[in-house]
Amino acid sequence: GIQVEQSPPDLILQEGANSTLRCNFSDSVNNLQWFHQNPWGQLINLFYIPSGTKQNGRLSATTVATERYSLLYISSSQTTDSGVYFCAVEQGFKTIFGAGTRLFVKA
Amino acid sequence: EPEVTQTPSHQVTQMGQEVILRCVPISNHLYFYWYRQILGQKVEFLVSFYNNEISEKSEIFDDQFSVERPDGSNFTLKIRSTKLEDSAMYFCASTRTGSGQYFGAGTRLSVL
């Protein structure tokens, strides 16, 4: 089946720093989403981005479907950005999550 | 803003008992999903559901599991005879064509 790999697995940032999270997938997909799982376990929908670039405040994402990767950019990080960031891809009616990037932002 | 609602937030059960986890998807969504997340691990797909039937299911979704949309608003996951390894957070999600999936807050299932 399709493999979804995220990097880095762990990331520690000083508040105000920028970062890039990567998601590679091994086969063509219908859709791709980025989620933030906050410390309370909630999965928050960040971007629905099967291709192209989108921005939402300090966050932006780019998916290059032909090269099978997506990037999530976090600028001017804040302590509230801490948590786990998941990439999830859809093939048909099945959704596969990556293992996530665990981010900790220090004050 | 519309949201996916899951009940209960925490369910404790004895091994071998049946449990039903409930979800109310966003009202104009047509595609529904169940996932589970064992503590500290990644989110695992269980099943997708459209037009009152299962669209796809994973290897985890064996004969112990079933899903149902009993009325126009609820979407349920039943585990017939719970095992210790079924202890996890269970998430429901819904979507419509051209949109991302929206997740409920989850039900934490503890099997003793």
Side-chain angles (χ1 to χ4, degrees):
Chain A
I2 188 170
Q3 303 297 313
V4 181
E5 295 181 355
Q6 292 188 241
S7 60
D10 298 281
L11 185 58
I12 299 174
L13 296 176
Q14 193 66 46
E15 196 170 29
N18 304 327
S19 63
T20 301
L21 282 55
R22 188 176 180 101
C23 173
N24 292 331
F25 43 99
S26 61
D27 200 355
S28 57
V29 299
N30 306 119
N31 296 309
L32 186 144
Q33 280 188 262
W34 283 97
F35 294 92
H36 175 218
Q37 188 166 42
N38 63 24
W40 296 271
Q42 287 183 292
L43 281 163
I44 309 300
N45 188 344
L46 296 177
F47 292 102
Y48 168 73
I49 186 165
S51 64
T53 297
K54 290 186 178 179
Q55 178 150 10
N56 185 1
R58 296 181 295 103
L59 302 182
S60 63
T62 295
T63 297
V64 184
T66 53
E67 296 186 23
R68 300 181 184 163
Y69 74 89
S70 184
L71 303 174
L72 177 69
Y73 306 95
I74 304 174
S75 64
S76 305
S77 57
Q78 300 176 358
T79 56
T80 51
D81 294 333
S82 296
V84 183
Y85 288 81
F86 289 107
C87 161
V89 301
E90 285 183 56
Q91 265 195 332
F93 290 102
K94 189 171 186 178
T95 305
I96 307 299
F97 277 71
T101 291
R102 187 173 301 274
L103 173 65
F104 179 68
V105 181
K106 298 188 295 184
Chain B
E1 185 174 314
E3 60 181 23
V4 176
T5 305
Q6 289 188 243
T7 55
S9 55
H10 190 192
Q11 174 87 49
V12 181
T13 189
Q14 295 291 325
M15 192 169 55
Q17 295 297 303
E18 174 183 286
V19 295
I20 297 176
L21 310 183
R22 302 180 191 280
C23 171
V24 178
I26 294 173
S27 62
N28 64 346
H29 287 186
L30 299 176
Y31 302 86
F32 314 116
Y33 307 81
W34 282 101
Y35 298 86
R36 79 172 186 191
Q37 186 179 31
I38 295 170
L39 187 63
Q41 298 186 23
K42 68 178 178 180
V43 179
E44 298 175 290
F45 169 81
L46 292 177
V47 66
S48 56
F49 191 88
Y50 170 72
N51 201 25
N52 284 321
E53 60 182 30
I54 290 174
S55 305
E56 186 134 14
K57 57 185 181 179
S58 71
E59 311 75 44
I60 302 167
F61 195 89
D62 61 21
D63 292 342
Q64 294 296 319
F65 292 88
S66 62
V67 289
E68 195 177 36
R69 189 156 162 81
D71 53 42
S73 59
N74 289 285
F75 180 51
T76 62
L77 174 69
K78 182 192 290 186
I79 308 175
R80 266 181 262 285
S81 178
T82 50
K83 304 187 277 274
L84 294 175
E85 53 265 37
D86 293 328
S87 295
M89 181 74 89
Y90 288 81
F91 291 103
C92 172
S94 69
T95 189
R96 54 182 170 80
T97 303
S99 171
Q101 293 182 35
Y102 287 83
F103 280 68
T107 292
R108 180 166 298 285
L109 177 64
S110 300
V111 182
L112 307 179

